[in-house]
């Protein structure tokens, strides 16, 4: 079954792609104003995750953030990189390097969610 591309989906996707950082549901809702209700944003974000369009990052602050996927699809959805959260400005970034995790015999890691928190290059001189 093909999924329809609606104006609402396109607005959310454009907001995600236009952001320099991964964004939370709250950030998206503020950016879009009252144009789209809260439940619709959640439903679309989860659909985007299922389709390999975005990936979900659960940060060390307990919030979920979303970032566009690069090189993923519904059939091949792989994330083997760390994410960085700046304690000063709050940005969440995908680190560019993939990481291999040594697993015990018999286990095979496909995805993982790793968060490093600290200060980004712009904020590190302030702290």
């Amino acid at each position: 079954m093909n999924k329809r591309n609606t104006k609402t989906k396109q607005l959310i996707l454009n907001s995600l792609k236009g952001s320099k950082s991964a964004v939370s549901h709250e950030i998206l809702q503020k950016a879009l104003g009252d144009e789209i209700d809260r439940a619709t944003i959640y439903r679309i974000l989860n659909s985007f995750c299922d389709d390999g369009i975005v990936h979900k990052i659960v940060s060390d602050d307990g919030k979920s953030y979303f970032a566009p996927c690069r090189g993923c699809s519904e059939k091949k959805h792989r994330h083997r990189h760390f994410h960085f959260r700046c304690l000063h400005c709050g940005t969440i970034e995908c680190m560019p390097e993939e990481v291999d995790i040594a697993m015990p015999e018999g286990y095979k890691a496909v995805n993982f969610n790793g968060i490093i928190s600290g200060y980004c290059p712009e904020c590190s001189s302030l702290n």
Side-chain angles (χ1 to χ4, degrees):
M1 179 173 135
N2 287 339
K3 295 184 180 185
R4 285 186 322 133
N5 186 22
T6 64
K7 179 184 174 189
T8 304
K9 286 181 181 179
Q10 200 57 54
L11 282 171
I12 292 173
L13 187 58
N14 290 345
S15 292
L16 287 166
K17 287 183 174 180
S19 179
K20 295 188 300 184
S21 174
V23 296
S24 66
H25 175 274
E26 293 83 12
I27 293 169
L28 271 175
Q29 196 161 16
K30 280 183 186 177
L32 299 169
D34 294 329
E35 203 170 331
I36 305 170
D37 68 84
R38 179 179 183 86
T40 300
I41 294 172
Y42 273 122
R43 183 177 42 77
I44 290 172
L45 288 171
N46 287 326
S47 172
F48 283 169
C49 286
D50 292 343
D51 294 342
I53 297 169
V54 302
H55 66 280
K56 183 177 183 178
I57 304 156
V58 179
S59 179
D60 59 342
D61 64 1
K63 288 186 182 179
S64 293
Y65 295 85
F66 300 85
C69 291
R70 288 165 182 48
C72 291
S73 68
E74 188 176 353
K75 292 182 173 87
K76 181 185 175 245
H77 195 72
R78 233 177 96 137
H79 295 285
R80 298 173 58 102
H81 58 266
F82 282 102
H83 300 91
F84 184 87
R85 182 174 73 91
C86 181
L87 297 171
H88 185 261
C89 68
T91 59
I92 302 261
E93 299 176 57
C94 296
M95 297 283 90
E97 298 295 321
E98 282 202 352
V99 178
D100 284 323
I101 301 289
M103 299 294 296
E105 189 171 327
Y107 291 88
K108 180 181 178 183
V110 177
N111 297 306
F112 64 84
N113 182 27
I115 292 287
I116 301 168
S117 57
Y119 299 99
C120 69
E122 290 80 26
C123 296
S124 61
S125 64
L126 304 172
N127 293 297

